[in-house]
Amino acid sequence: MMDYAIHFTFACFGAAVMMCLWRIITADGVGTRVLALDTMVINTIALMVLYGLLLGTEIFFEAAMIIAMLGFVSTVAYARFMLRGNIIE
Amino acid sequence: MKLLRRVFPHPHLTILLTIVWVLLANAPSLNSVVFGLILGIVIPFITQPYWPDRPILRNWPMVVEYILVVLWDIVVANFTVARIILFKRDADRQPNWICIPLELRSPEAITVLAGTITMTPGTVSCDLSAKGHNLLVHCLDAPDPDAVRDEIKQRYERRLKEIFE
Amino acid sequence: MSLFLIAALPFLGAIFPGLLIRAGRNVSASAAGLASFLAFTGLMIHAPAVLRGEVVTARFDWLPGLGLNANFMLDGLGFLFATLILGIGMLIVLYARFYLSRHDPMGQFYTYLLLFQGAMVGIVLSDNILLLLVFWELTSLSSFLLIGYWKHLPAGRQGARMALAVTGSGGLAMIAGMLILGHIVGSYDLSVILQNKEAIQASPWYLPALLLILLGCFTKSAQFPFHFWLPHAMAAPTPVSAYLHSATMVKAGIFLMARMWPVLAGTPEWFYIVATTGLVTMVVGAVIALFKDDLKALLAFSTVSHLGLITMLLGFGTKVAAVAAMFHIVNHATFKAALFMSAGIVDHETGTRDIKRLGGLRHLMPVTFGIATIAALSMAGIPPLNGFLSKEMMLEEAFHTTWLDSHVVIPALAVFAALFSAAYSFRYISHVFLGPERQDYPHAPHDPGPGLWLSPAILVLLVVVIGLNSATVAGPVVSASAQSVIGGELPYFKLKLWHGFTPALYMSIVAVLGGLLLLAMHRHLERVWDNLPRPEAKAIFDAIIELLTQISRTITDGLHNGVISRYAAIMIAFTVGIGYYAYATGTTGLPTRVPLEAPIIPIIGWICLVGATLAIMWFHRNRLLSLVLIGVVGLIVSMAFNYLSAPDLALTQISVEVVTMILLLLSLNFMPTQTPVDSTKARKLRDAAISVVAGLGAGGLIYALMVRDFAFPTISGYHLANSYKGGGGTNVVNVILVDFRGFDTFGEIIVLGIAALVIFALAESVLSSNVRAYLLNRKPHWPQSGDAHPLMMVVVTRVMMPIALMVGAYIFFRGHNQPGGGFIAGLVVAIAFLMQYMASGYTWTIERQRFYYHATIGWGVLIAAATGLGAWFNDMPFLTSDFGYLHWPPLEEFEWATAMLFDTGVFLAVLGAVLLALDSLSRFAWQPGIQQEYPMDINPQRDAPPVPGPGPDTIIPVGKET
Amino acid sequence: MVEFWEIVIAFFLIVSGIFGFVGSFGMIKLKDPMSRLHAPTKATTLGVGGVLIASILHSLALEHRLSLHELLITLFLFLTAPVTALFIAKWHIHRHETPESLPDAGEDGKWATHAVQPNEDEPDQTAT
Amino acid sequence: MEALLASAVGVLTAAGIFLILRRRTFPVILGLSLLTYAVNAFLFATGRLALNAPPVLNKYADVPYTDPLPQALVLTAIVISFGMTAVIVMIALGAYLSSKDDRIDMKAHDSVDAAPGEDV
Amino acid sequence: MNHWIIAPIVLPALLAPFIIMVLRYHLDLQRIFSVAGTVGLVGIALTLTAQAAGGEIQVYELGNWPAPFGIVLVLDRLSALMVLLTSLLALAVVLYAMGSGWDKRGRHFHPLFQFQLMGVCGAFLTGDAFNLFVFFEVLLIASYGLMIHGGGPVRFKAGVQYVTYNLLGSTLFLFALGTLYSVTGTLNMADLALRVADLPTEDTALLRVGAVLLLLVFCIKAAVLPLHFWLPASYSLAPMPVAALFAIMTKVGAYSILRMYTLAFGPEVTITQGLAGDWLLPAALVTLAIGAVGILGTQHIARMVAFAAIASMGTLLIAVSLFTPQATAAALYYAVHSTLATGLMFLIADLVIERQGGRIDGMTPMPQSGLIAALYFIGAIALAGMPPLSGFVGKLLVMDAARDAGDFTAIWAVILVSSFITIVGLARAGSLIFWQSHDARHNTEPDPENEDKVIHLPPPEPMPGLTFSAVFGLVAGLIGLTLFAGPLMEYTSSMAEQLYTPQHYIDAVLKGGEQ
């Protein structure tokens, strides 16, 4: 039961990741691309937690957490770059 | 008191950090609480120059209420938006900009409000006005912008005003 | 006196003239003269023994491993040459003192001269052919300096380079020849080599060795076709010409042929190569000399001719010829040096050496006239002068020699050369000194003081004395030297004026009469000569060198054209090729591992990775997009690490990823955001081909590796087993990093620290150049938005940063036992500070910064090193770790480990390095006007209570409240 | 009991899967960039949230230990996602909107993104 | 799985090298980053692949561990290549700013005596 | 416990951060400490040389972990000599850099310099393949910093190329190490040697790939054609004192080849047969030829010396690639010579560039040329391998050692012809710079067309005493090398002997593990 659910969710998020990639490649503006990257990061976090759930291990938690933290930084950096040019000013 | 203020520049933050540490350690024990507390004192001390004027939370029950309201709204809005995305044709949607005049003045409060708006699917807070007295919000599908604005002011801003000011 | 000292004296003496020149020209010259004189005296001490036929030796093992030993020997041959070198050397020192003008750096001159003298003495005294080579090349070098002494004359520079190139290359060939010779014999000692004639001549390597050695000799002795450098060396001051280019250096080749005569001569190869070359040189030199108008050029070609003569004699391979050669060496040295000096005097006094502008000097310069005439007559072979004697002997030998079954060729050509020889000698006398006096000499000529004419006078005296009394004066030396050339019994010979009516006498008479006839016809012949098409050696040489230079330039510039992509392509192609070769020449077994299954998620990851990578290739012109895609790749790689049981790697990868991306964004801010098209289709195809091949190589290699097990148990088994026991940590990767292989990590943080330092230094140097002005006036890529530091960002950062620091601390403390560690913690903390930078701006943040990045890096490295050094006090090697457990009630026990301290060093170094790098880059964008007062641009609280709305035109400036 | 928890966990997982999918699907389907911005909020909230809740429940119910550190991820996402969205929205406003195409900003006149100094494009030296 | 990883390494290498062969500094830097990913993955894979076997010792159970050494090596390699990338980014920026040209190629005759700031 | 072995690494590693932290703003103190540190390094190196001279191989187990598992430093005669050579060259360079004021033309010269020394010494001392990589990176990254020290557009551009090329090399290094580890499961060189010897035949192909990739990496460092392209631009555009220090960097490559290909993949190991010999020798010959051609074909003195460095590496690698004890002894002698000579010539090039700009065009006058011309002459003699300096001895040794090789005629021909081209090139350059300019100064008015080519350089170095003593020091080194060629050759022979009996090394390293 739970295994099926996990695999279903895997499939959903897997598809989500690929859609994000598709968006990154095909989008017409950088903003959308960054958005798609951000979404991809979030989906990845979900995937990692799921995988930890599947294996019953907590070893992936830190990675998920760090990604959650750092994904933000990189998205902000891209956005700042597009808005101001300087990331740090 | 002054000394206490200098050692604990940020009691709320200290508590938050201690909780974060215990969560991180993921095994509640005396060790982790003590250690978290030490770090929770040290880190605000280090970072206090970056947070010069600190807000004071006045109404704790309201904080809890606010969180519950927001969580509920998130769940509801998720379903609404999922329906829009999956089943509504793009042409039928009516995306809209909404300007919300703010009564809040504290940056922290404004941030919480804007964050709430963004986290409830369907609305995204997009910008502040040049002096920070209005919030620009984008709605995914809002046939009636004014209603959305009023709801936001009613549901969230009112509560936040009580919490922060 | 020891031979070492004799050989060393000129070198020692060379030091002084240069140093003493401040004390005056006379002192300098005296020092040089004294050195020569002492050496000469030392030589003379050995004279009796040598003339008795004894060989004086001195040995010193210099480089026994190679066989290069400082062994010297003095036999007759060496004695003859050494006497010439040192004796004439002293005369030249005297002559030069008065010859050189006030403006010439005389100290330098004597230094060079003595260096040369030492080298020559070294050649003739060497008993080791490698040592001989050393001195041989030294003569080339010192003559280079001497020829180029007058730096302001282009002819001097070119002549010097030409001489160096020709004689130097000959010397190089000789190196090979000598090495072969030494190999055949098994020793490089001359005395040993000279005993091994049979072995050498029987060896298959005889001919190559002979050719190579002769190449050296011929170039040095200006034999045809290498003769052309000698006339151009005449750009040197006359003392140099007299010394090097008549008496000594050019005879080095002759010397060596004589030296090697016992082992190399006597074969048909020797005869045909050496004798023919000598013959041709003799003829060619003599003919050309007649038509030269420059006095020194005339003498130079005559020298070429006479050197050819001696070479020919040696080439004959008969003992008598060898004796004649020795005798002619002496005679030529005397009269030619005297002639050069007299030419120098003429030049010095009249201001020209052009024969066409001279004539009639006999009354104006009687002394010079006398000297020059006697010397020239000797050169022409007029009895009773010494030149006559040796020429007779040469003609005699030539008469008896057959060449390719022909009895005529050699005698005829010898007479022909002698005829021209007489002619140019007579021309030297008549066209310079005889004839009517002229009015248009550049200077008013008169005889110089004795300082100048004394030296040639002494030589001329010798010319006469030897001629009249050859047996007693020159006899012993000639016999002794001939003895050492020939080796065994001396043949019967007599040095005397009258041998009776021999064929040689008739030939001589023909030569002299013919010479007079030629002189008479000179004007007509000259016209013919001038119209004769003939190759100009210098032009050819210059053209060759120029061609060589051009080719070199083309090759060099063509090969190293600064196109890095080509360099890289070559390297990659080469690597793949060699790698494939290595693979193909080995054997590989079947797979021994069962591959892991590939569920759907890794496949999706793979698709994303490959898709993103291909998209990067496709869209790489759009730099921002490529960066975003690189981010995707990094994310997936990090995920893959996680998936494949490497949580530490995943953490590191993702953190590094973010920092790298920010660095790239920071720099992209100043760079174009688009890459223009500058590759052709063909080029892209080529690049694509190379990359595909390389990709296949890398992928194939790792696949081949992964499907097979390790051939041996890996060393990491030990790490797994000892990580907890010996290192006190359960995260084996971390224990390896901070303990088992802590030294790697030590190096790694140093790399990072250096990187930051480099970046800082570079930023400093860029910002202190004129780039600063450009940066200040730079326009952004696109219009900037308002609100540089949005309120929400600032507020969120205020919460996020402490939390991020907390996470950093957590990652750090758990690292030893769980994924994490100082490195990742450093990155996380750095990113936390970075958030603050991004939120509130550089100026605002830096004002509140409480620590210095340089110091942080320094502390990090120092702490890490100190942790390592701490082990010394335990008498343990660097970086030996220790750990234990602490228990403070009521807390539970916790672990301490010195590795944690080391990790702290890592943490600090990483933190400092990342922040210093980011900080340096941020300074590029910093404008002097920006002084931020507030952390956020918009803060309604600041304006409270709200005033009724200001006009719609209100402008909010960046980072500054109105 | 275990089955019950398994069903609950499965429910959360499926919900999160659906919302995660819808979030990204929205990015493909929605045409205008501003609307696309709404899509990821689902993934952030219910998408990841569902998985996290499932994870907490899993450890609590099936492994019988309290593991709440998943909450941290939620905390981070809730803190950061609004800022991310804000920045992307600002980018859009900056590039594709003019002051006229947006609602009136009331007494402040302009929205912050548009409130630039008129000479911002000039050499920055004048910014003093 | 092995095939996936190997082919990914191959693709990353190929793309990295293709970009390195471009003529502007920025793509070259991107190429170097890609190549770094490739080599890190390569180095990592030399310890052979394993699922759910992180080299973190489990005190309670006897579980398999993957080879930790390559991981440590990759970590070192990642850090070092980060430093290298940072430096080359900076030098490339310095080159661009001081010559206003981000071409990576030089002329064969370039020499330092071109005065600082002179356009090459 | 004998800690001397690690001292050459730890000393600069401590000194550099100290300078950064404490002396960041005090150039004078930085100089004092930097020189003191370098002198200390010389002292340490002498001690190490004395310790190694007896032939005993010392092993230092870092972290007290036994040999194949932890990292070891190994001191044998060869590494001791290389460290000594490094320190001596470094002393000359640092003195020169101070005297010429180069060290204040940018930030952080002295720390980077010390780090560079640390990297080089570490590379010579380590007994672990991956640790070798780490030290390569340390020395490389420090060299990047030093190379662009002083700045300027062309130098930056060259810097980008230099870094790019070397990053490719580093990547290759990792590929090689990964392959080797993947086959043998070890990183320790001695252990590697043991395992390679016992390797089952099915794995030879992969091992060979790893071994050859490693060789290629070292060849990049050693600037073997066609992997030498990084060198000309980066050496000629680096600050000259730095380029002088870089003279040791190419030797690191040669050293590593010698080390790995005598220890682990030695001539008697069958499965790696033909990897080095087959192509390294021809490549070395071409390297020498191209280097020589480059000397003649360049128009700037710095670039010329850079090509001379390539040529000398060619000669050196000819000897290395023969892989016989005799040839290796010759190679080591030549390595010492070529390091000093190349370093000397770079310093002289700097003297010239500071005064005249360095162009070999005969247009630019060279003021005060007497002493510098003499020094140039000496340097050129050394580089061209003319007597009486050590270059000649070295060349003879190499040629003599090559005699037993099958194709020695080709080797000799290339060496001799290259020498000829080198001589022509150096003589041409020297006469154009030092002599022609006399002409230009005395006899012709400055050509208005070339007026702008005359560069107005900063005034000559503030402390000529130091610069010249550095140069004289190197000259003295060369002379000493010549005079004491015999004993030195004996010593290098004993080194070669040590190298070709790798069992001692292996025993020393791995026996340490059993204790």
Side-chain angles (χ1 to χ4, degrees), chain B residues 5-22:
Chain B
R5 193 74 191 158
R6 277 178 72 175
V7 177
F8 296 99
H10 234 182
H12 293 152
L13 191 58
T14 303
I15 294 167
L16 176 68
L17 290 180
T18 314
I19 293 172
V20 166
W21 179 267
V22 174

Side-chain angles (χ1 to χ4, degrees), chain E residues 3-17:
Chain E
L4 286 184
L5 193 128
S7 57
V9 168
V11 170
L12 283 172
T13 310
I17 286 175

Side-chain angles (χ1 to χ4, degrees), chain F residues 378-404:
Chain F
I378 294 173
I381 287 175
L383 270 186
M386 297 278 276
L389 289 178
S390 44
F392 182 71
V393 179
K395 193 160 70 184
L396 278 186
L397 284 170
V398 172
M399 289 176 69
D400 190 54
R403 203 171 44 197
D404 298 327

